Amino acid sequence: NAGVTQTPKFQVLKTGQSMTLQCAQDMNHNSMYWYRQDPGMGLRLIYYSASEGTTDKGEVPNGYNVSRLNKREFSLRLESAAPSQTSVYFCASSRDRDGTAFFGQGTRLTVV
Amino acid sequence: QQQVKQSPQSLIVQKGGISIINCAYENTAFDYFPWYQQFPGKGPALLIAIRPDVSEKKEGRFTISFNKSAKQFSLHIMDSQPGDSATYFCAALTYNQGGKLIFGQGTELSVKP
């Protein structure tokens, strides 16, 4: 039982490059989330998805897009990476909007 | 603008002491208030949670106190241990926004032996 799996674990991008962060959960959860973690800023919600086929903006959605491909997978795309997007990104899932979120191990992204 | 404000940013406590972390919120639509614990290199994990119709919840050495009128809640760690050294996040959830889960800024706790 893997829980929430994120790929890749580390990534270095050049400014302007694009990439997709992948996230998959095997707990049959309905809700999925993408957060970024920066020192002193805590965890900030980028996008979330309450169910397959729905996505909503969080606190800091600019510069990102998401896709809820199916119930298991929720990807985060950076179309044109900027140094301000250097961060640790976490994917999470929860059963049914109950606040019990399970997190992946994170993706450390550096944009140079 | 942070919807959930957490303090202090860092905290040093002696072994056996009480660690206290505070959070405040403005949005009265929040329905659920969990706390998460994060160790270095790991994702956060749920520690304890409370609903706004309850004033206190205790699980082992961890207690949440909730003051609905003041829109504040706090985490108390009794008999703090070096193994409790971690970053703690308060959070707030809105059910009618599809389970939108918002976090505070985090508190880095260090428990000295």
Side-chain angles (χ1 to χ4, degrees):
Chain A
N1 192 342
V4 178
T5 303
Q6 290 183 235
T7 55
K9 288 187 170 52
F10 301 93
Q11 183 71 48
V12 178
L13 287 179
K14 293 183 179 179
T15 298
Q17 286 185 319
S18 62
M19 80 161 296
T20 300
L21 279 63
Q22 306 287 351
C23 175
Q25 52 91 7
D26 61 2
M27 296 174 282
N28 200 35
H29 285 170
N30 289 312
S31 299
M32 297 188 74
Y33 307 85
W34 275 107
Y35 293 91
R36 60 178 290 175
Q37 184 173 14
D38 304 288
M41 302 296 291
L43 289 156
R44 291 182 292 171
L45 182 63
I46 305 171
Y47 272 93
Y48 67 107
S49 170
S51 61
E52 182 180 351
T54 67
T55 60
D56 288 285
K57 294 179 179 179
E59 301 168 280
V60 288
N62 292 343
Y64 305 95
N65 286 300
V66 290
S67 295
R68 184 73 184 268
L69 304 169
N70 47 55
K71 192 171 186 178
R72 289 187 64 248
E73 298 172 291
F74 188 38
S75 62
L76 178 71
R77 182 161 178 83
L78 287 72
E79 291 291 350
S80 179
S84 61
Q85 294 178 306
T86 293
S87 187
V88 179
Y89 291 85
F90 285 100
C91 177
S93 70
S94 68
R95 186 176 61 235
D96 191 15
R97 299 177 289 170
D98 64 357
T100 307
F102 292 83
F103 282 78
Q105 292 291 299
T107 295
R108 185 173 294 276
L109 176 67
T110 302
V111 183
V112 298
Chain B
Q1 184 178 1
Q2 205 84 18
Q3 294 189 41
V4 180
K5 295 184 178 180
Q6 183 173 346
S7 63
Q9 189 169 348
S10 63
L11 181 62
I12 299 175
V13 173
Q14 291 297 124
K15 178 182 176 181
I18 302 173
S19 304
I20 302 174
I21 303 170
N22 300 299
C23 286
Y25 63 97
E26 289 296 325
N27 186 357
T28 56
F30 288 135
D31 301 296
Y32 197 60
F33 298 88
W35 284 86
Y36 283 77
Q37 180 187 54
Q38 183 183 33
F39 293 104
K42 304 291 186 183
L46 179 68
L47 183 65
I48 186 173
I50 196 167
R51 295 192 317 268
D53 56 348
V54 176
S55 61
E56 185 175 283
K57 183 173 182 180
K58 183 176 181 179
E59 289 184 3
R61 296 183 293 109
F62 299 91
T63 300
I64 303 176
S65 297
F66 190 86
N67 186 330
K68 189 173 182 178
S69 61
K71 292 186 283 187
Q72 295 175 348
F73 57 111
S74 60
L75 176 70
H76 291 63
I77 306 174
M78 312 300 288
D79 188 25
S80 298
Q81 300 296 313
D84 296 331
S85 297
T87 299
Y88 292 81
F89 293 95
C90 61
L93 174 77
T94 313
Y95 290 137
N96 66 6
Q97 287 187 300
K100 189 175 183 180
L101 183 61
I102 300 295
F103 284 80
Q105 297 93 325
T107 297
E108 190 172 347
L109 171 66
S110 178
V111 181
K112 299 298 185 184

